[in-house]
Amino acid sequence: MSIKKLSKSQVDFFEREGYLVIEGFLSHEKCDYFHSLAKKHADQEHAVIMNVHKKIEGFYQLIRDPGIVSILNTLQKGAVMGLSGHYIFKEPKTRYARDTWYPHQDNSYPRGRKGAYITTNIFLDDTDRENGTVYVYPRSHQEDLLPFEHVKSYVGEPDSEGLIHSGQRVEVPSQYAQVDLTMGKGALLILHGHLIHGSYPNLSLDRPRPTFAFGYMTVGDTFVEGNSAKREMIHL
């Protein structure tokens, strides 16, 4: 991957809306390569692989990719460090395909200073509502951390519709409207740590929704390690 340079309009969009989509960040060949690496470590139900960068060298190199680091340094107006991430399969017809995330703010987990935490999501296949895309509430990053209902992620029992619910659910203020994102294979989604967002379950029969998600923090800021995430500073 070559180093990406953001345009002023992209920076302005992120600052105004709280998220940014960069289509074609990874080539289709690279997407297939990383998905094949993860598949070798998948269990029968294709559960989420926490801290996949500690298990698979390729993902450690990906989080340190100069293109990603350059983009995040620009958006954060300073150097970032890596924290933690995971690989989400959402393989059709498995238990975890039907995992759906409540509206939540990512910074409710590491509890960093407002604006210090930023997250990335690389979509390794085409993604829309049918196979479990992400929805966002543009401009909601203006909010401080909202009160939330603590919900353990990925481990709940299916509800009456067979859905598993994750995410520390917040009540979305009425002034924000939900927007579903349709993502092309190889797209990079960047989220401000306070942007309210969630995701749909994968209800398709034959379309996985593989995604590599990773969180970064401005260098020098503090964070909560977490019992499951086990966040730790990664020099980039």
Side-chain angles (χ1 to χ4, degrees):
M1 289 167 288
S2 60
I3 294 178
K4 312 285 183 178
K5 182 169 179 159
L6 296 180
S7 66
K8 183 177 183 302
S9 63
Q10 287 175 307
V11 175
D12 290 345
F13 184 92
F14 178 81
E15 291 180 350
R16 182 179 66 250
E17 305 296 328
Y19 72 99
L20 181 65
V21 176
I22 301 176
E23 292 287 356
F25 182 81
L26 276 191
S27 68
H28 286 197
E29 292 75 19
K30 283 286 188 180
C31 290
D32 294 341
Y33 168 72
F34 283 111
H35 188 49
S36 68
L37 287 181
K39 287 278 282 186
K40 292 176 183 177
H41 293 258
D43 64 18
Q44 185 174 0
E45 287 291 341
H46 288 78
V48 172
I49 303 177
M50 299 295 292
N51 286 315
V52 65
H53 63 290
K54 295 183 178 180
K55 302 174 176 70
I56 306 174
E57 173 66 19
F59 286 98
Y60 179 72
Q61 297 304 322
L62 181 56
I63 66 175
R64 302 174 73 247
D65 174 73
I68 292 178
V69 175
S70 175
I71 288 169
L72 298 183
N73 286 348
T74 298
L75 294 177
Q76 295 295 83
K77 297 180 172 61
V80 297
M81 58 187 178
L83 287 190
S84 71
H86 46 274
Y87 194 91
I88 306 167
F89 292 97
K90 284 204 173 183
E91 190 73 13
K93 297 183 276 191
T94 65
R95 169 187 171 90
Y96 294 99
R98 301 178 74 85
D99 184 43
T100 176
W101 279 68
Y102 290 124
H104 66 284
Q105 297 168 296
D106 284 340
N107 194 35
S108 67
Y109 295 95
R111 303 296 189 90
R113 173 181 55 85
K114 185 176 182 180
Y117 188 57
I118 190 168
T119 58
T120 61
N121 298 264
I122 301 177
F123 291 79
L124 302 175
D125 212 330
D126 293 334
T127 302
D128 52 36
R129 181 161 180 169
E130 180 193 43
N131 70 331
T133 198
V134 171
Y135 57 84
V136 298
Y137 292 86
R139 307 194 180 193
S140 61
H141 65 301
Q142 302 171 69
E143 302 289 332
D144 292 331
L145 281 182
L146 299 170
F148 59 83
E149 174 191 352
H150 177 67
V151 179
K152 286 188 175 181
S153 301
Y154 309 119
V155 297
E157 289 300 319
D159 64 14
S160 60
E161 297 178 341
L163 302 180
I164 299 173
H165 295 278
S166 297
Q168 303 197 134
R169 179 167 56 178
V170 302
E171 292 295 327
V172 182
S174 60
Q175 67 265 36
Y176 303 116
Q178 179 178 320
V179 174
D180 294 352
L181 300 180
T182 298
M183 311 293 292
K185 184 174 181 176
L188 171 66
L189 170 63
I190 305 170
L191 301 172
H192 186 288
H194 282 217
L195 187 82
I196 302 171
H197 64 287
S199 68
Y200 295 103
N202 182 0
L203 301 180
S204 72
L205 298 178
D206 58 0
R207 300 175 59 207
R209 198 219 75 175
T211 311
F212 175 54
F214 207 85
Y216 298 80
M217 183 76 77
T218 301
V219 170
D221 276 87
T222 60
F223 57 90
V224 174
E225 177 183 309
N227 294 324
S228 299
K230 300 295 184 186
R231 300 173 191 88
E232 60 183 16
M233 182 173 64
I234 301 170
H235 294 287
L236 304 177

